[in-house]
């Protein structure tokens, strides 16, 4: 596993190979086998997988490393700290951060060996002494660890000279060749010590809970026919046509397609106009599988219990499971605030403040399990002085509790960490919120907030950042790589771009939703029909 920053990625080399191709040649020429692993690809050779993230500091590298470590590499080539030194980021404590990363590697991969490279020279004369001090401190800390039996080999990169650098930070081709030789010498040392073990299969948690690749979507067909409750909302300019029982409305999306939908019970076609979907999916029972919910224009919710299993989906009618509290449909959200697995009923006001109703469960765990008792919580978030249309809820740090999020029109996202409430009793859905600042700068594909979905795609418990194409339903994903710590900054996560993870089914993006229908922790791709509110789904086959 090549792990580090832009040097690991290969910035500065003419082919983008960095040291990795030369090192591959040295290893394979000596009758060994090699398979690089990592979430990124860079270089002009076949096995170009790596975990080198340009501009990343040690704490970010630690976050990026986590998913790939779960694949249980037997050798990790780690080079980190260049950007901490160059950016002047708490330089005196940088060696400690690096060793903390090494310690974590051994927690996840106790049978691995870590080849720990010293960072190359810095072309800035004022920073070169800091590089020397950093490298010396790291080597001393490694001596302490090896004395305790940890399998770490220090790999010195001091043979790289100014002539071997393409700029002040990155080696040129000659410099990368020197690095490859140094890495290989470290590998030989580890082998002589008897530290290199056969690679292990990914750990059980990784196999069962984490998907390390983009999903394979498996058609499940129609999972809900639409129970005759009406259209899927999101309609505008609804007018009465010649027929008495129909309204003609404009569907959401750039095409502004007109479609006839059933006239509402009020008889007033204008009552169909709103900016939200009627169909929602949320886990009301805490079994990990999302229920099918249909909301009328006043937020009253008709529920259908998800009675499926790991491969199938079925829905049992539950009748009205929430009578509404005065919120308009577009103001209603469902999210788990207290971490018990059951979604609360939330009213997001126009000013971004939130009233909550705690999901206290239903009368039984059988066929009526989604008939919920709701306990009023009062105001559970006072708002941030922004419009309620930008408010979202999703679990960013994997603790089971949803954060309060605000999306700008361009998709930039700020977060308030859910730090839980004062008790687990009747006020359990009254959490505290801790400001995290901007946690996502917005997508690079121009998607606006109306086409951004937060859902867990890989099953690691953390919501990923998804954009849906307005016209095709294609989906780009930024996987949630976790944050630098699990405490006060737990919602400041790193995002790993995965590219297009779903090519779309030809429907407009506004029809697409994601929810875990099978209880495996991974969200399915769901296409909801506008005229009937029926839904088709594609299983996230990982």
């Amino acid at each position: 596993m090549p792990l580090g920053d832009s040097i690991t990625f290969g910035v500065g080399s003419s082919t983008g190979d960095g040291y990795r191709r030369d090192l591959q040649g040295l290893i394979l020429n000596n009758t060994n086998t090699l398979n690089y692993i990592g979430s990124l690809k860079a270089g002009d050779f076949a096995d170009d997988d790596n975990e080198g993230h340009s501009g990343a500091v040690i704490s970010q590298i630690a976050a990026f490393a986590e998913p790939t470590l779960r694949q249980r590499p037997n050798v990790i080539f780690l080079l980190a700290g260049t950007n901490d030194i160059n950016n002047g980021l708490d330089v005196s404590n940088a060696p400690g951060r690096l060793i903390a990363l090494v310690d974590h590697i051994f927690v996840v991969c106790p049978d691995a060996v870590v080849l720990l490279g010293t960072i190359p020279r810095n072309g800035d004369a004022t920073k070169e002494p800091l590089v020397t001090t950093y490298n010396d401190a790291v080597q001393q800390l490694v001596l302490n660890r090896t004395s305790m039996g940890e399998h770490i080999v220090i790999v010195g990169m001091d043979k790289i000279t100014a002539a071997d650098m393409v700029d002040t930070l990155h080696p040129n081709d000659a410099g990368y060749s020197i690095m490859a030789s140094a890495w290989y010498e470290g590998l030989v040392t580890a082998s002589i010590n008897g530290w290199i073990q056969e690679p292990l299969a990914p750990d059980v948690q990784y196999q069962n809970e984490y998907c390390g690749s983009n999903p394979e979507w498996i058609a499940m067909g129609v999972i809900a026919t639409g129970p005759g409750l009406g259209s899927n909302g999101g309609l505008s300019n609804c007018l009465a046509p010649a027929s008495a029982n129909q309204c003609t409305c404009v569907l959401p999306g750039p095409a502004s397609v007109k479609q006839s939908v059933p006239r509402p019970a009020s008889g007033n076609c204008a009552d169909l106009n709103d900016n939200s979907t009627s169909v929602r999916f949320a886990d009301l029972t805490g079994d990990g599988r999302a229920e099918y919910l249909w909301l009328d224009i006043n937020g009253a919710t008709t529920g259908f219990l998800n009675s499926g299993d790991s491969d199938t989906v079925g829905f049992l009618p539950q009748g009205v499971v929430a009578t509404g509290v005065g919120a308009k449909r577009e103001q209603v959200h469902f999210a788990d605030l207290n971490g018990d697995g059951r979604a609360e009923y939330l009213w997001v006001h126009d000013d971004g403040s939130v009233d909550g109703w705690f999901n206290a469960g239903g009368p039984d765990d059988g066929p009526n399990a989604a008939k919920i008792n709701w306990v009023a919580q009062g105001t559970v978030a006072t708002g941030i002085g922004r419009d309620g249309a930008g408010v979202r809820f999703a679990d960013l740090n994997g603790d089971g509790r949803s954060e309060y999020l605000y999306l700008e029109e361009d998709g930039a996202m700020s977060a308030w960490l859910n730090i839980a409430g004062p008790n687990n009793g009747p006020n359990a859905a009254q959490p505290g919120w801790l400001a995290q600042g901007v946690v996502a700068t917005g997508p690079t594909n121009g998607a606006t907030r109306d086409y951004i979905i937060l859902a867990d795609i890989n099953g690691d418990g953390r919501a990923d950042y998804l954009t849906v194409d307005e016209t095709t339903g294609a989906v780009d994903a930024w996987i949630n790589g976790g944050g630098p710590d699990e405490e006060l900054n737990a919602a400041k996560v790193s995002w790993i771009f995965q590219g297009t993870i779903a090519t779309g089914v030809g429907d407009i993006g506004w029809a697409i939703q994601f929810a875990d229908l099978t209880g495996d922790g991974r969200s399915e791709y769901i296409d909801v029909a506008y005229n009937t509110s029926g839904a088709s789904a594609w299983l996230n086959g990982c």
Side-chain angles (χ1 to χ4, degrees), residues 93-422:
N93 291 314
R97 293 196 297 274
L98 182 67
I99 294 303
L101 170 55
V102 172
D103 291 342
H104 180 69
I105 288 172
F106 285 124
V107 169
V108 182
C109 305
D111 300 306
V113 57
V114 174
L115 303 184
L116 184 58
T118 61
I119 61 175
R121 65 189 311 280
N122 189 298
D124 185 336
T126 64
K127 294 176 181 176
E128 185 61 29
L130 299 177
V131 170
T132 301
T133 300
Y134 172 82
N135 285 335
D136 289 345
V138 168
Q139 292 183 66
Q140 185 58 51
L141 290 170
V142 167
L143 287 175
N144 295 337
R145 292 305 193 277
T146 55
S147 67
M148 295 186 290
E150 291 188 358
H151 295 170
I152 313 173
V153 177
I154 279 286
V155 177
M157 301 298 175
D158 50 292
K159 292 183 179 179
I160 298 174
T161 68
D164 305 313
M165 302 289 287
V166 71
D167 55 27
T168 60
L169 298 179
H170 303 96
N172 56 25
D173 289 344
Y176 277 119
S177 180
I178 294 170
M179 288 188 71
S181 297
W183 285 125
Y184 185 72
E185 290 176 11
L187 196 63
V188 170
T189 299
S191 178
I192 292 173
N193 290 341
W195 291 349
I196 301 178
Q197 307 297 317
E198 287 294 321
L200 298 177
D203 62 27
V204 174
Q205 179 183 8
Y206 178 88
Q207 289 178 315
N208 292 342
E209 299 181 9
Y210 179 79
C211 180
S213 60
N214 286 345
E216 173 189 2
W217 301 106
I218 303 168
M220 304 178 77
V222 176
I223 60 167
T225 57
L229 295 170
S231 73
N232 186 34
L235 306 173
S236 61
N237 298 321
C238 290
L239 304 172
S243 62
N245 297 319
Q246 297 288 311
C247 299
T248 297
C249 301
V250 176
L251 299 180
S256 297
V257 177
K258 292 183 178 180
Q259 184 166 332
S260 293
V261 297
R263 189 188 293 265
S266 67
N268 186 1
C269 289
D271 286 346
L272 294 171
N273 296 330
D274 72 38
N275 296 315
S276 65
T277 59
S278 303
V279 175
R280 313 287 177 84
F281 294 89
D283 183 5
L284 297 187
T285 65
D287 65 357
R289 300 190 299 266
E291 273 63 61
Y292 174 105
L293 309 174
W294 192 90
L295 280 69
D296 71 13
I297 57 175
N298 297 312
T301 304
T302 301
F304 297 80
L305 175 69
N306 187 333
S307 60
D309 54 29
S310 60
D311 298 308
T312 62
V313 178
F315 293 107
L316 294 176
Q318 305 286 285
V320 175
V321 298
T323 56
V325 293
K328 294 178 290 186
R329 176 163 54 203
E330 61 265 29
Q331 295 176 314
V332 176
H333 294 247
F334 292 89
D336 183 5
L337 296 188
N338 69 327
D340 64 358
R342 301 190 300 260
E344 274 65 63
Y345 184 104
L346 306 175
W347 177 0
V348 178
H349 295 272
D350 290 341
D351 64 357
S353 63
V354 183
D355 292 342
W357 282 260
F358 171 50
N359 182 335
D364 61 55
D365 293 326
N368 296 316
K371 293 182 176 179
I372 303 302
N373 296 315
W374 303 102
V375 181
Q377 304 288 284
T379 299
V380 298
T382 57
I384 57 171
R386 305 296 300 275
D387 62 298
V391 174
R392 304 289 188 273
F393 297 90
D395 181 7
L396 294 189
N397 66 328
D399 64 358
R401 300 189 299 265
S402 293
E403 274 62 65
Y404 179 107
L405 309 170
Y406 182 82
L407 285 173
E408 305 285 351
E409 290 285 357
D410 64 358
M413 185 167 70
S414 299
W416 283 259
L417 177 68
N418 184 333
I419 56 175

